[in-house]
Amino acid sequence: QLAAEQVEMNGQVFNDGRFLEFNGFNLFTGRSKLAITGEIEGIDLYKKDLASQFRNARYDVVLDSTSVNLSEFNDLAPRLPFISEPIRLKLDMEGRLDSLWMDEFGVGLGESWLQVDGLAQHLLNRNQLKYRVHVSNTVLRKQDMEVLTTLII
């Protein structure tokens, strides 16, 4: 459940029992704007246990946002850090949640931006989480730095 008073979606979503595809899909909530394009292999919306399907699926997805209010998504992802102001987000990923290649993972707050590329492993198990990334772009203001590091560490 989203913690937003209003939710609007548009774009194309397709599911054939094997692939869940997003073409120009946009999600607008109270303070968030997300654009999703790509496909997730291993998802059948008509079968039970969607959470398990998403945990075991193969992703080839680009997510782009000029504004994400993380508190609106706490019910869906309770481990998200609390940040009072909206962030900017860019994620271009491929693979499974146990071994996910990120062509680009960027997060911004205020005038700051941190962008990395690389491999993340065991994303669903915080005790086994591993990552090997290369910082490809940084613009950091001192006042934003502490908040931004809570998003990637």
Side-chain angles (χ1 to χ4, degrees), residues 2 4 6-11 25-35 66-67 72-73:
L2 289 174
Q6 181 178 347
V7 176
E8 179 182 329
M9 294 179 269
N10 62 46
F25 182 79
N26 297 289
L27 172 67
F28 303 97
T29 65
R31 292 175 53 200
S32 299
K33 300 171 187 166
L34 296 163
T66 56
S67 177
E72 292 179 324
F73 300 91

Side-chain angles (χ1 to χ4, degrees), residues 81-114:
F82 175 78
I83 296 175
S84 59
E85 58 185 289
I87 62 169
R88 294 180 316 281
L89 185 65
K90 172 79 180 215
L91 178 59
D92 185 347
M93 63 182 179
E94 184 178 332
R96 299 183 185 280
L97 296 180
D98 63 348
S99 184
L100 189 67
W101 177 259
M102 298 172 292
D103 287 319
E104 180 180 350
F105 174 54
V107 62
L109 177 71
E111 295 175 24
S112 298
W113 179 257
L114 177 61

Side-chain angles (χ1 to χ4, degrees), residues 110-150:
E111 295 175 24
S112 298
W113 179 257
L114 177 61
Q115 183 174 316
V116 300
D117 58 71
L119 180 68
Q121 296 176 302
H122 310 292
L123 288 172
L124 297 177
N125 186 337
R126 197 170 196 133
N127 295 328
Q128 292 183 334
L129 177 65
K130 296 179 190 177
Y131 52 90
R132 186 177 60 238
V133 296
H134 167 259
V135 177
S136 54
N137 188 0
T138 56
V139 176
L140 296 175
R141 286 188 327 164
K142 185 177 180 180
Q143 59 265 45
D144 300 330
M145 200 163 148
E146 182 178 320
V147 177
L148 280 173
T149 56
T150 65

Side-chain angles (χ1 to χ4, degrees), residues 5-75:
E5 293 180 20
Q6 181 178 347
V7 176
E8 179 182 329
M9 294 179 269
N10 62 46
Q12 183 182 31
V13 178
F14 174 77
N15 183 233
D16 65 0
R18 181 175 171 205
F19 290 97
L20 176 60
E21 297 180 18
F22 297 93
N23 297 307
F25 182 79
N26 297 289
L27 172 67
F28 303 97
T29 65
R31 292 175 53 200
S32 299
K33 300 171 187 166
L34 296 163
I36 304 169
T37 303
E39 64 185 25
I40 306 172
E41 184 179 358
I43 302 294
D44 186 344
L45 294 176
Y46 297 103
K47 289 188 177 177
K48 294 181 181 182
D49 201 7
L50 279 174
S52 176
Q53 290 183 58
F54 277 99
R55 282 192 302 272
N56 297 306
R58 178 167 173 66
Y59 294 80
D60 187 359
V61 175
V62 175
L63 185 140
D64 196 1
S65 174
T66 56
S67 177
V68 177
N69 180 356
L70 294 179
S71 65
E72 292 179 324
F73 300 91
N74 280 342
D75 288 343

